[in-house]
Amino acid sequence: MSTTLFDLSGKLALLTGSSRGIGKHLARGMAEAGATVIINGMNPATVASTVAEFESAGLKAIGKPFDVTDSDSINTAVAEIEANTGPIDILVNNAGIQRRTPLLECDDATWEEVMNTNLASVFRVSRAVAKNMVERKQGKIINTCSIQSELGRPTIAPYAASKGGVKMLTKNMCAEWAPHNVQVNGLGPGYFATELTAALVDDAEFSGWLCKRTPAGRWGDVKELIGAAIFLAAPASNFVNGHILYVDGGMSAVV
């Protein structure tokens, strides 16, 4: 049946930055598709709360707080997961931050914080997980890109540069790991209404501009990212590699 193409039953999925926000929605969607999901975040209490919420809904979830910017923390966590829970079949690099500042006022610390969290973490976590995937000749990696992987806006240069980097890192991971049956793709959200964008959603001027700029004429609902993520994690995408799937209501398609 065609439904088996989107079945994640028996799969183990690690999602960074999944204790809240977009990552939490993606984790829940994958768990509902049958996967056991590993919830990650920096705050152990938030991770534990998310795991409890999933378990109360009958979903399979395990908590694993670790710092995605620290190689030692990453390597230890991945080794523990593989030894105690099982092989990681799916990795979603979702952890990220936004720091809004005019470029001329952006200090080194802010630039480096954004690059370390949004870009370097994708390299570090993928390196740790993909080593085992390559040896097993099987794996799925999804890197959270952004509409800002393609488009710039004032005050978000560090973020846009980091997400542009994630796009190209995704393509290079594909170039090296596709021969080992590891599919690496990017998920590129447009503008979605979340707790992190609440101020922009409530800004009538910005929301008006956004709705006019987006062919769909509205903000995205985070649940509308789940299907794309499951597709990239499932057998349905076995011959899709190095692709960035934008879920943006058509924003990147128009001038």
Side-chain angles (χ1 to χ4, degrees), residues 49-255:
S49 175
T50 299
V51 170
E53 178 185 330
F54 280 31
E55 289 179 337
S56 68
L59 303 174
K60 298 176 182 177
I62 298 167
K64 198 65 177 178
F66 64 87
D67 184 354
V68 298
T69 69
D70 180 76
S71 290
D72 289 340
S73 179
I74 294 164
N75 293 337
T76 297
V78 170
E80 290 175 351
I81 292 167
E82 294 261 339
N84 301 326
T85 305
I88 298 169
D89 301 293
I90 301 160
L91 168 64
V92 181
N93 286 301
N94 175 75
I97 59 172
Q98 172 69 287
R99 298 288 183 262
R100 297 179 182 276
T101 180
L103 191 53
L104 289 178
E105 299 173 16
C106 180
D107 57 31
D108 289 358
T110 299
W111 179 271
E112 290 165 6
E113 180 191 21
V114 173
M115 289 298 170
N116 270 329
T117 304
N118 293 5
L119 177 57
S121 72
V122 176
F123 159 66
R124 291 177 176 132
V125 178
S126 295
R127 178 179 59 184
V129 173
K131 179 180 179 181
N132 298 318
M133 289 179 170
V134 166
E135 291 178 355
R136 290 191 290 263
K137 302 293 183 183
Q138 184 175 349
K140 299 274 188 177
I141 298 176
I142 303 169
N143 297 327
T144 300
C145 297
S146 168
I147 189 69
Q148 263 73 51
S149 295
E150 300 292 343
L151 305 174
R153 277 189 58 77
T155 76
I156 62 165
Y159 180 85
S162 71
K163 291 301 184 177
V166 173
K167 177 183 78 169
M168 294 311 301
L169 182 56
T170 298
K171 292 177 180 292
N172 280 273
M173 287 177 177
C174 164
E176 295 201 20
W177 300 337
H180 304 283
N181 193 34
V182 177
Q183 290 86 54
V184 188
N185 293 287
L187 179 65
Y191 282 85
F192 283 78
T194 69
E195 60 265 36
L196 297 180
T197 59
L200 294 176
V201 174
D202 293 338
D203 184 328
E205 182 178 357
F206 184 87
S207 280
W209 170 85
L210 175 71
C211 292
K212 291 178 182 178
R213 176 67 176 79
T214 305
R218 62 177 175 84
W219 286 82
D221 184 319
V222 178
K223 293 179 181 177
E224 293 173 305
L225 288 167
I226 294 172
I230 291 174
F231 165 67
L232 293 177
S237 62
N238 280 352
F239 202 56
V240 179
N241 219 332
H243 177 70
I244 314 301
L245 176 53
Y246 290 102
V247 185
D248 63 1
M251 176 178 271
S252 59
V254 300
V255 176

